Amino acid sequence: MEERKVFLNTHTNLLELEEHMYPLVDVDSPNTFQNLFRYDQIPKIAFNDRIVPHHMPDEIWLTDTTFRDGQQSRAPYTTEQIVTIYDYLHKLGGPNGKIKQSEFFLYSKKDRDAVYKCLEKGYKFPEVTSWIRASKKDFELVKNIGLKETGILVSCSDYHIFYKLKMTRKEALEHYLSVVRECMETGIRPRCHLEDITRSDIYGFVIPFCVELMKLREEYQIPVKVRVCDTLGYGVNYPGAVIPRSIPGIIYGLMTHAGVPSELIEFHGHNDFYKAVNNSTTAWLYGSSGVNCSLFGIGERTGNTPLEAMVFEYAQLRGTLDGMDTTVITELVEYYEKELGYRAPSRTPFVGKNFNVTRAGIHADGMLKNEEIYNIFDTDKFLNRPALVSVSNTSGTAGIAYWINTYYKLPPKRQVDKSSVLVQEIKKWVDKEYEDGRITVLTDDELVAKINNVCGNLHIEL
Ligand SMILES: CC(C)C(=O)C(=O)O
């Protein structure tokens, strides 16, 4: 704790101290942490029980990678689709700009057209930033387009440094610093993507490198962002877990030993071990102001941290949405379905077709008595998705009436009740289905077809 106080009060002095404490460890052969990551075994989570204190920043926010990491793993969006989704992101982030930035490729004309069109909107948030190959020519391109920040790939594990780049750590560090310097010379803010940080030597490479980045920040008086990329999703949030897998440990190291302030730290997760959301929330809790997300978690392999999940994590941590308009999430779901033919798996939280559908008869009965019993929050208010109960042999006329009223979103005056002819007719049909041996619940499509049929025959309008 003493050390933390020093960091907060005399930042610069500590940086001088740290430089000598954590020099670059320029190893001859790669350290791939074979005790943790033997390829023929399931990776291990080791513990040393060193506990890192919470350090949630005063301000936290989301950034978006739907058009970069998201787009890397699916068919490219058209320019129009990008512009429409960008519009939605602007609305979702609200007037306080809680979705602070979104990153765009600049490779093709189509990519650049999308950027121009989004810039034309004139929105302050999400700020349009870029993702480029790190070269002088590309930095000039970023500048000419009028962007202020770009992502630069600075892979930091020995897997990447030795096996992909075929460099030593010293060579990689010098190369990265020269690229970052070149970027800053152009007047562009660099955002350094520390790829594969959860398999890297935190105190032998990452901290010494980030100390140097913070020196460049001082020299150029330009912020340098550090993006903590958990590229293969190895990160864990368990107290006392060992780095490089410990997300709290990495964030603590960056802040305390490399002097990177919260507002310049951003976490980028992947979901290979189902941990993207928890790791992102953990990054917030331990000092990262930003978490980088992708809509519906669409991203490489198992995907990135779903943006919509972090909107609700934000609200749970802060007790407020700070102006974010969560109903836009449902508009985006509908847009992706209609325009892109993309449907999230039905049980996906907040966006799947069945995320708030109660099926079991006894539970459905609870819903009918009071929907708070089996719904996480007022999903109608926040997502325009009223809680639903599915119809089965145990539903009864009340259950069927509830299904019709909620599915068709009927206003109170037009709602049906147990005694309505429509409900009675549907009940007869449902009972017959089960008498004939059915054992599954009725699907929405089946119910809609039957209801249309009954309404047509009886000249009823819903
Ligand atoms: C390519 C890098 C920056 C990345 O997105 C990741 O590490 O997940």
Side-chain angles (χ1 to χ4, degrees):
M1 283 316 265
E2 200 45 42
E3 190 176 40
R4 170 162 227 93
K5 251 192 248 149
V6 177
F7 162 60
L8 294 172
N9 296 341
T10 56
H11 179 179
T12 325
N13 291 348
L14 190 77
L15 267 185
E16 280 162 17
L17 189 74
E18 296 304 342
E19 197 183 336
H20 302 291
M21 272 173 83
Y22 298 108
L24 175 78
V25 180
D26 193 24
V27 291
D28 290 331
S29 53
N31 179 358
T32 52
F33 296 96
Q34 285 301 294
N35 54 335
L36 303 178
F37 301 112
R38 262 195 57 176
Y39 195 53
D40 61 350
Q41 294 175 5
I42 308 301
K44 296 181 187 69
I45 302 169
F47 290 85
N48 59 7
D49 286 329
R50 292 185 68 166
I51 303 301
V52 175
H54 278 173
H55 187 64
M56 175 122 97
D58 290 339
E59 215 199 320
I60 57 172
W61 55 76
L62 294 79
T63 63
D64 172 69
T65 190
T66 298
F67 309 126
R68 203 271 300 169
D69 213 335
Q71 209 175 187
Q72 261 165 230
S73 73
R74 48 152 289 129
Y77 298 109
T78 65
T79 304
E80 284 65 36
Q81 287 164 348
I82 291 180
V83 177
T84 307
I85 296 166
Y86 177 72
D87 252 331
Y88 280 123
L89 290 174
H90 168 73
K91 214 169 130 204
L92 172 55
N96 298 316
K98 295 315 298 188
I99 304 177
K100 228 183 178 43
Q101 296 179 316
S102 183
E103 62 211 45
F104 291 65
F105 288 128
L106 297 182
Y107 299 140
S108 67
K109 179 173 174 318
K110 182 181 75 79
D111 297 330
R112 292 190 289 275
D113 282 349
V115 167
Y116 286 124
K117 291 215 160 103
C118 290
L119 287 174
E120 268 167 27
K121 299 263 168 194
Y123 299 146
K124 186 163 176 217
F125 300 112
E127 178 191 347
V128 175
T129 75
S130 73
W131 173 257
I132 51 166
R133 295 182 202 96
S135 71
K136 198 169 172 48
K137 197 168 130 267
D138 278 13
F139 294 135
E140 291 296 343
L141 176 68
V142 175
K143 190 176 181 178
N144 293 341
I145 291 178
L147 305 184
K148 307 265 184 301
E149 179 174 312
T150 191
I152 299 174
L153 187 62
V154 287
S155 313
C156 58
S157 72
D158 284 352
Y159 288 86
H160 288 254
I161 295 173
F162 280 79
Y163 300 145
K164 197 172 78 182
L165 301 175
K166 308 264 183 236
M167 287 183 178
T168 63
R169 289 183 184 178
K170 186 164 181 291
E171 285 165 347
L173 183 135
E174 283 167 0
H175 169 62
Y176 295 155
L177 289 176
S178 72
V179 170
V180 172
R181 189 179 275 282
E182 203 159 42
C183 174
M184 295 170 96
E185 284 287 336
T186 327
I188 306 288
R189 296 190 313 252
R191 183 183 59 237
C192 301
H193 292 224
L194 279 89
E195 188 180 26
D196 207 19
I197 198 168
T198 45
R199 281 195 300 183
S200 67
D201 184 345
I202 301 296
Y203 285 91
F205 184 81
V206 172
I207 302 288
F209 174 48
C210 289
V211 167
E212 295 304 320
L213 289 178
M214 291 305 107
K215 283 194 207 155
L216 287 179
R217 172 187 174 221
E218 284 291 310
E219 186 184 330
Y220 284 87
Q221 292 294 302
I222 293 177
V224 179
K225 243 179 233 165
V226 170
R227 185 179 284 185
V228 175
C229 296
D230 183 15
T231 304
L232 289 176
Y234 289 125
V236 295
N237 66 347
Y238 309 128
V242 166
I243 51 169
R245 295 193 68 177
S246 164
I247 301 303
I250 294 174
I251 308 275
Y252 179 83
L254 288 175
M255 296 182 70
T256 309
H257 300 301
V260 187
S262 287
E263 65 273 18
L264 295 181
I265 306 178
E266 189 174 21
F267 177 77
H268 170 95
H270 278 269
N271 205 31
D272 299 71
F273 291 91
Y274 277 116
K275 290 189 174 67
V277 171
N278 274 345
N279 283 337
S280 302
T281 311
T282 299
W284 268 340
L285 281 173
Y286 286 86
S288 167
S289 284
V291 294
N292 183 243
C293 317
S294 164
L295 265 175
F296 311 129
I298 298 173
E300 292 279 21
R301 299 183 314 284
T302 54
N304 294 104
T305 307
L307 183 112
E308 65 281 6
M310 296 316 290
V311 168
F312 289 106
E313 288 291 285
Y314 184 101
Q316 290 180 82
L317 287 175
R318 292 290 161 131
T320 165
L321 281 160
D322 271 335
M324 285 185 281
D325 180 354
T326 47
T327 60
V328 176
I329 293 169
T330 303
E331 291 175 37
L332 276 158
V333 170
E334 285 160 7
Y335 178 78
Y336 266 68
E337 242 178 78
K338 276 200 206 105
E339 174 69 27
L340 299 155
Y342 176 80
R343 219 180 219 207
S346 63
R347 289 183 184 79
T348 312
F350 314 118
V351 298
K353 192 158 178 284
N354 292 331
F355 92 86
N356 62 348
V357 178
T358 297
R359 290 189 186 282
I362 179 105
H363 291 170
D365 184 53
M367 286 291 291
L368 297 181
K369 291 184 176 129
N370 182 335
E371 70 172 58
E372 286 183 42
I373 299 174
Y374 282 111
N375 203 18
I376 51 170
F377 51 69
D378 187 345
T379 52
D380 190 16
K381 170 175 170 188
F382 290 106
L383 289 163
N384 276 330
R385 298 272 306 266
L388 292 174
V389 291
S390 63
V391 172
S392 71
N393 53 336
T394 58
S395 300
T397 43
I400 293 169
Y402 184 89
W403 189 93
I404 296 173
N405 291 332
T406 44
Y407 186 87
Y408 291 96
K409 296 190 179 165
L410 297 179
K413 269 208 230 135
R414 287 182 33 222
Q415 290 196 349
V416 294
D417 64 19
K418 287 190 245 219
S419 57
S420 103
V421 194
L422 172 63
V423 173
Q424 301 288 337
E425 286 301 307
I426 299 296
K427 171 86 170 96
K428 274 190 230 157
W429 168 70
V430 172
D431 288 346
K432 176 91 176 53
E433 284 283 309
Y434 286 95
E435 274 159 31
D436 290 348
R438 180 173 187 133
I439 47 167
T440 55
V441 293
L442 289 143
T443 65
D444 292 351
D445 290 347
E446 284 175 293
L447 280 159
V448 169
K450 186 67 190 170
I451 289 166
N452 285 344
N453 176 267
V454 175
C455 287
N457 290 344
L458 300 177
H459 306 292
I460 301 171
E461 238 179 71
L462 273 179

